[in-house]
Amino acid sequence: MKFAEETSTVNKLNLFDRMAEHEQVLFCNDPSTGLRAIIAIHNTTLGPALGGCRMQPYESVDEALEDALRLSKGMSYKCAAADVDFGGGKAVIIGNPKTDKSPELFRAFGQFVDSLGGRFYTGTDMGTTMDDFIHALKETNCIVGVPEAYGGGGDSSIPTAEGVLYGIKATNKVLFGKDDLGGVSYAVQGLGKVGFKVAKALLEAGANLYVTDINEESIRAIEKLESSTPGTVKIVASEDIYSQEADVFVPCAFGGVINDNTINQFKVKAIAGSANNQLLHESHGKKLQEKGILYAPDYIINSGGLIQVADELYGVNHERVLAKTKHIYDAILEVYKLAEADGVCTMESANRMCEKRMASRSKRNGFYTPTVKPKWAIRK
């Protein structure tokens, strides 16, 4: 594997400055498999760190580190918002997921995860799959989100989509005084695993959709679905999805789609979707507020998948997962209420809520202990 020469100029002092908000950063190097990875543990106040592992060809170690630090911090807030007994962490593997994967690489990664003694649990993220972690599972018990055949909860896009729908219902409650999904228009960006499920449910409820996706098969599938539902679908170009005169924008694809350019185009009353890191910068949350657009913080509304993988460690129970996912409705309403009361944007309100929860829980003894191994874990 070739990537940009390790030109990192970060000395020890600068490195510690960069990770000042974090508890621990582990650099993983295994020359025999080509593994080069970084595990960042942000905060374990609520419990062991939990966060996915992504794999991509970062141009430098600095870039990989920055991604790990940013994402792990976000997981602390996401876990707090979802009210699961876990803290925030993240892992990144430097490499091309199409050419650099091997069973040995993921087993080596599993050994590094195991060396943390239960402080960090991980699973799939961008560039990695459930099958990758079947290999890591042979080296550590600290893997979540594996296939059902291996004791996992299965497709996490199902509770993620359910959570988004609860978030949209809460948003409609504030906008229109009732939480019905039907009779409202939505601009849906992205028809992937989560986006398609959300669009399907909205159509079945009688909503009117503007949709866009780069995958023609997904477009044809949603058009075919329209004929059997009371809702309507209009296909629009990718660059036109931001300017549709819909009630709610539902981003289910890329991050950073809420920025200076798109905010000027929006004609919607609210934004509520599954994409991660929707705000290019947190300051854009304030700009949405100034424009009168209600924003459902992404790390709350899309937390259904997190709820499922966290729940696996107590034994797979789909009914329990869906029951907990319903609380996303209440969490979104609470954020909206606090934002109005404090006169701040909803992103700041969500952050304050999570920080308060972490501070409160720091005075409690954690029930979960990493010495208790999941019964389903396979270990050689």
Side-chain angles (χ1 to χ4, degrees):
M1 175 187 65
K2 293 274 188 180
F3 62 93
E5 198 66 32
E6 282 157 287
T7 56
S8 171
T9 58
V10 180
N11 57 38
K12 290 183 179 180
L13 179 61
N14 286 335
L15 179 58
F16 278 107
D17 285 345
R18 291 175 71 180
M19 60 176 280
E21 292 184 287
H22 289 67
E23 294 179 8
Q24 184 177 5
V25 176
L26 176 67
F27 288 80
C28 312
N29 183 44
D30 186 68
S32 66
T33 63
L35 174 71
R36 296 195 178 191
I38 300 172
I39 298 172
I41 296 176
H42 176 256
N43 188 298
T44 57
T45 298
L46 301 182
L50 174 66
C53 172
R54 63 175 49 183
M55 183 176 186
Q56 65 183 65
Y58 294 98
E59 293 186 1
S60 68
V61 175
D62 276 355
E63 184 183 344
L65 175 62
E66 188 63 29
D67 210 23
L69 295 177
R70 176 180 60 86
L71 293 168
S72 60
K73 180 179 179 180
M75 286 303 300
S76 289
Y77 285 80
K78 191 167 185 173
C79 287
D83 197 23
V84 297
D85 294 325
F86 291 89
K90 206 74 174 182
V92 299
I93 296 176
I94 302 171
N96 188 327
K98 295 181 179 179
T99 59
D100 296 330
K101 286 183 179 180
S102 70
E104 292 76 16
L105 182 144
F106 279 92
R107 290 192 68 157
F109 175 71
Q111 289 180 315
F112 282 106
V113 171
D114 201 58
S115 73
L116 290 166
R119 279 175 51 78
F120 176 63
Y121 287 78
T122 192
T124 62
D125 200 325
M126 185 186 304
T128 61
T129 68
M130 289 191 292
D131 289 340
D132 294 329
F133 288 95
I134 292 173
H135 305 297
L137 191 61
K138 296 175 181 179
E139 303 293 341
T140 182
N141 294 305
C142 300
I143 301 296
V144 293
V146 294
E148 291 183 85
Y150 289 82
D155 186 1
S156 63
S157 71
I158 295 173
T160 302
E162 285 291 323
V164 171
L165 292 168
Y166 283 121
I168 292 174
K169 285 183 177 182
T171 301
N172 288 352
K173 177 73 173 177
V174 173
L175 291 177
F176 309 114
K178 57 182 181 178
D179 59 13
D180 298 343
L181 295 173
V184 178
S185 58
Y186 305 88
V188 182
Q189 181 187 48
L191 296 171
K193 286 185 177 181
V194 175
F196 192 90
K197 290 179 178 66
V198 170
K200 179 175 182 291
L202 294 175
L203 279 177
E204 290 172 345
N208 301 313
L209 305 187
Y210 302 91
V211 303
T212 190
D213 195 279
I214 58 174
N215 188 326
E216 285 297 325
E217 290 185 10
S218 298
I219 293 295
R220 289 194 294 271
I222 202 70
E223 287 180 317
K224 182 178 179 181
L225 184 64
E226 177 189 19
S227 61
S228 61
T229 69
T232 64
V233 172
K234 179 180 179 180
I235 310 301
V236 302
S238 296
E239 62 274 15
D240 294 334
I241 194 67
Y242 307 108
S243 58
Q244 298 304 311
E245 294 189 7
D247 294 310
V248 183
F249 175 55
V250 186
C252 297
F254 314 106
V257 296
I258 301 173
N259 51 57
D260 288 340
N261 179 45
T262 57
I263 288 175
N264 288 331
Q265 299 179 58
F266 285 136
K267 301 173 184 176
V268 295
K269 300 178 179 70
I271 297 174
S274 67
N276 286 309
N277 303 315
Q278 294 169 26
L279 302 177
L280 183 61
H281 301 294
E282 285 207 0
S283 61
H284 289 114
K286 178 67 174 175
K287 292 184 178 181
L288 289 176
Q289 179 194 22
E290 292 170 351
K291 193 169 181 178
I293 298 175
L294 193 61
Y295 174 62
D298 51 8
Y299 66 75
I300 298 181
I301 195 172
N302 68 13
S303 62
L306 166 71
I307 290 170
Q308 175 168 296
V309 297
D311 191 77
E312 280 185 18
L313 292 169
Y314 303 95
V316 175
N317 187 313
H318 294 294
E319 184 178 350
R320 186 171 63 213
V321 169
L322 292 178
K324 195 168 183 64
T325 301
K326 288 182 180 180
H327 290 296
I328 291 175
Y329 178 95
D330 301 314
I332 293 293
L333 284 180
E334 183 178 1
V335 166
Y336 291 159
K337 180 180 178 180
L338 292 174
E340 183 176 9
D342 296 341
V344 299
C345 70
T346 55
M347 194 65 187
E348 184 174 347
S349 174
N351 290 345
R352 288 181 180 183
M353 182 181 75
C354 294
E355 288 161 3
K356 182 178 180 180
R357 184 168 294 172
M358 285 188 278
S360 174
R361 298 287 170 82
S362 68
K363 303 172 185 177
R364 305 285 184 264
N365 291 322
F367 170 76
Y368 182 81
T369 170
T371 60
V372 177
K373 300 299 184 182
K375 293 179 180 180
W376 51 261
I378 297 174
R379 184 92 178 267
K380 284 191 176 181

